[in-house]
Amino acid sequence: MAGYPRIRVGGTPFERGRQYGEQASQQVAHSRRGYEESFAQKGISWQAALEQAAPHGDAIRASFPEIWQEIEGIAAGSGWPVADILALNCRTEILWSAYTAAAAPGASAGSECSSFAVAPSHTRDGNTLLGQNWDWLVHAFESVVVLEVEREDGPNYVTIVEAGLLGKTMLNSAGLGMCVNTLVTTRDGHAPGIPFHVMLRALADAEHVFDAVEMLAAHQRASSGNYVLASADGAILNVEVEPGGPEGVHPVLQVHGRTAHTNHFLSALHSGSDLAPLAMSDSYVRLARLHQSLGESGGVGVHELEAALKDHSDFPGSICCHPDPRSPAPSQWASIMSVIMDVGARTLHLAEGNPCSTERRTWDYSDFLGEAAGGAQHPPRVAS
């Protein structure tokens, strides 16, 4: 694999979006086609998806007008209607609406992400390490880009994301990194508020872990999710959230200098029920394997974490996820990418595909994401 396209954008929010949509137009088209097929497999027409996404636009414009300008820019650059780009950014809400609307949700919705963070006190080199395998629908292999965003209105950031979507796994110039895990409850798919992927983009503005917690609590969220946060100075935290406001925010504290998460709630819910046993039943074995790999003693480094992310226990729904042949093609999943971030050094150890079969390369973003990153023009340096 040659690797995912790297796209750098800058300027005003609209201009950044326009450059993104223009440079990634082919990948945006793949996203659009892939989600039309995935929605249809769940019984949702594209027109129905547009109608379901539309109310979320009001919430975005009210809370994050600059992010709405980015959505309009992506549409202008890619040539797709704004409504289509909004629907892509509501793909979590749309897919879960089909699942939770069923009278008795049955078949597994698929595998998902396995994430971790390790504090400097427990790493070999005294650095903060953060990472995950991002498991998602296999059509994403054709649509992922590495988006490098240069800004004057906030921290620069790098995000590994499906084209057309605003954000995903992220590292910014304030020294904050974020990995994510899907969570789902009986209240998901039908709640108003800020869509999951818009919330991810908003968190790229955070400069501290506590900023991210406050931002999550301050806005009405449309979806559940888990945010694994880590800062260059050693702060690490999982934050589980339910749809709704501050009552559904559940920080999960580190133990023995590390934290890990998959796709079930570790906290008691404020309302509703966790659907992980039905929707993502492989979550439990994956979390146990992560804890076993991380251990409790110090001395963890990139090598040990890379081995953990290649784990095939309970294959194909393993930490290194592979398509399950029992599932229809539009619903098959795999590890789309695997990343280990050295948050302080601003480096990404990235496998652009299944980590068991894809070479992991190191991307040095210390210039672009350095403390004085504003206006930096240097490209990332690959250190093999």
Side-chain angles (χ1 to χ4, degrees):
M1 179 183 289
Y4 295 130
R6 275 153 180 79
I7 293 171
R8 182 164 296 190
V9 302
T12 65
F14 179 86
E15 183 61 19
R16 294 196 300 263
R18 188 198 63 77
Q19 293 170 22
Y20 173 18
E22 188 174 72
Q23 294 181 58
S25 60
Q26 182 178 350
Q27 289 78 21
V28 174
H30 280 300
S31 288
R32 167 65 172 74
R33 181 168 59 251
Y35 280 111
E36 184 171 16
E37 294 174 356
S38 295
F39 294 164
Q41 200 274 329
K42 301 294 185 184
I44 303 174
S45 68
W46 187 256
Q47 181 59 39
L50 297 180
E51 293 170 1
Q52 186 173 333
H56 294 292
D58 294 334
I60 299 167
R61 286 188 289 269
S63 293
F64 300 110
E66 296 84 3
I67 294 178
W68 181 256
Q69 292 171 32
E70 293 178 14
I71 291 175
E72 293 179 321
I74 295 168
S78 65
W80 291 99
V82 172
D84 286 50
I85 301 303
L86 175 60
L88 291 179
N89 281 280
C90 295
R91 56 91 154 158
T92 297
E93 290 72 24
I94 294 167
L95 287 170
W96 284 134
S97 73
Y99 190 81
T100 57
S108 169
S111 185
E112 254 285 358
C113 305
S114 304
S115 305
F116 63 83
V118 188
S121 57
H122 284 70
T123 60
R124 181 178 301 113
D125 299 325
N127 44 8
T128 306
L129 295 177
L130 169 71
Q132 74 174 113
N133 280 358
W134 170 25
D135 308 332
W136 191 235
L137 297 166
V138 295
H139 68 69
F141 281 122
E142 302 299 323
S143 59
V144 173
V145 299
V146 180
L147 180 64
E148 304 164 357
V149 182
E150 188 172 18
R151 311 170 62 194
E152 294 183 357
D153 57 349
N156 287 2
Y157 64 91
V158 175
T159 183
I160 307 163
V161 64
E162 296 165 273
L165 277 69
L166 290 160
K168 194 74 175 182
T169 304
M170 180 274 297
L171 181 62
N172 74 13
S173 59
L176 184 72
M178 177 178 64
C179 293
V180 295
N181 307 88
T182 292
L183 300 173
V184 61
T185 75
T186 49
R187 295 181 57 240
D188 276 88
H190 312 283
I194 303 298
F196 181 58
H197 284 84
V198 176
M199 201 74 241
L200 294 176
R201 160 60 190 90
L203 290 171
D205 293 351
E207 298 184 9
H208 307 281
V209 169
F210 65 82
D211 291 340
V213 176
E214 181 178 346
M215 189 178 298
L216 287 166
H219 294 90
Q220 192 77 10
R221 302 170 307 278
S223 288
S224 300
N226 180 69
Y227 304 81
V228 189
L229 303 164
S231 66
D233 63 7
I236 63 173
L237 187 68
N238 269 305
V239 185
E240 299 177 337
V241 303
E242 308 170 42
E247 73 285 348
V249 176
H250 309 287
V252 181
L253 306 186
Q254 62 166 293
V255 178
H256 301 298
R258 64 205 66 202
T259 187
H261 212 285
T262 50
N263 302 106
H264 59 278
F265 276 90
L266 303 178
S267 309
L269 295 182
H270 177 263
S271 61
S273 301
D274 187 358
L275 287 177
L278 285 169
M280 294 170 286
S281 56
D282 53 25
S283 176
Y284 305 94
V285 170
R286 287 186 286 113
L287 184 60
R289 294 294 294 175
L290 270 181
H291 282 306
Q292 183 177 346
S293 297
L294 294 176
E296 295 183 2
S297 59
V300 174
V302 171
H303 177 75
E304 290 80 10
L305 296 172
E306 183 174 27
L309 293 174
K310 291 180 178 180
D311 188 83
H312 282 137
S313 297
D314 214 20
F315 182 92
S318 41
I319 290 175
C320 183
C321 174
H322 292 259
D324 189 334
R326 299 172 299 179
S327 300
S331 296
Q332 290 190 344
W333 302 53
S335 291
I336 304 301
M337 70 86 181
S338 175
V339 67
I340 302 166
M341 294 183 257
D342 185 327
V343 180
R346 313 295 204 267
T347 55
L348 275 62
H349 305 276
L350 178 62
E352 295 165 77
N354 275 98
C356 66
S357 57
T358 307
E359 178 187 5
R360 191 179 298 273
R361 295 185 293 171
T362 300
W363 291 86
D364 182 352
Y365 279 102
S366 57
D367 284 339
F368 186 67
L369 297 179
E371 291 184 6
Q377 298 295 326
H378 303 294
R381 180 170 56 86
V382 180
S384 57

